[in-house]
Amino acid sequence: MKVEPLAVEHELVERVLRIKQTLRGFVVDETPVCATTDPEAWHPEHPSGLSTPPYKAEKQAMALCQDCPLIDFCLIQELREVTAVEHVHGVRGGVRQAERQALYLTVVKEGLL
């Protein structure tokens, strides 16, 4: 399935721009939720697509992310580190794989990071 970039006005793109402004000089001094959870929880075997709602395993991982003090840092860090859309897997920063893949394409296309 081909992934297309999101519109620049999409809420995830706006979230990235907000986070980018607030994380300048951010120091990680807290433990992320994922460090205390089974790593398999973040990588559902069958991820959903953009045209379908998140599957149960994705919803569970996304819910765990909501309590994490590093949720925003996690999302931005992945977008900065990943080198290709094919390397975006699982749930990270409270966002499922399909949405982050589309977000990554937008960030690259628009030069947002």
Side-chain angles (χ1 to χ4, degrees):
M1 173 189 337
K2 186 176 183 213
V3 178
E4 296 291 329
L6 300 171
V8 177
E9 302 80 22
H10 191 280
E11 65 186 68
L12 281 175
V13 177
E14 290 176 358
R15 177 181 169 199
V16 165
L17 294 175
R18 258 191 331 273
I19 295 168
K20 183 179 168 188
Q21 293 299 316
T22 60
L23 288 182
R24 294 184 195 276
F26 182 77
V27 177
V28 176
D29 62 353
E30 297 189 57
T31 303
V33 171
C34 59
T36 62
T37 309
D38 177 8
E40 295 299 314
W42 309 104
H43 300 280
E45 190 173 331
H46 302 289
S48 61
L50 277 178
S51 62
T52 60
Y55 296 146
K56 181 180 180 180
E58 291 171 313
K59 286 181 184 178
Q60 290 171 336
M62 290 164 59
L64 289 171
C65 285
Q66 297 310 309
D67 293 329
C68 184
L70 301 175
I71 187 170
D72 290 339
F73 176 80
C74 181
L75 179 60
I76 290 291
Q77 193 64 22
E78 183 196 39
L79 292 171
R80 288 179 174 155
E81 291 175 351
V82 80
T83 57
V85 71
E86 299 84 20
H87 299 152
V88 176
H89 297 287
V91 172
R92 193 156 175 193
V95 183
R96 64 190 171 134
Q97 178 177 314
E99 291 171 323
R100 284 193 345 280
Q101 287 175 337
L103 178 60
Y104 172 78
L105 292 175
T106 304
V107 165
V108 169
K109 178 182 172 192
E110 301 295 331
L112 299 177
L113 290 180

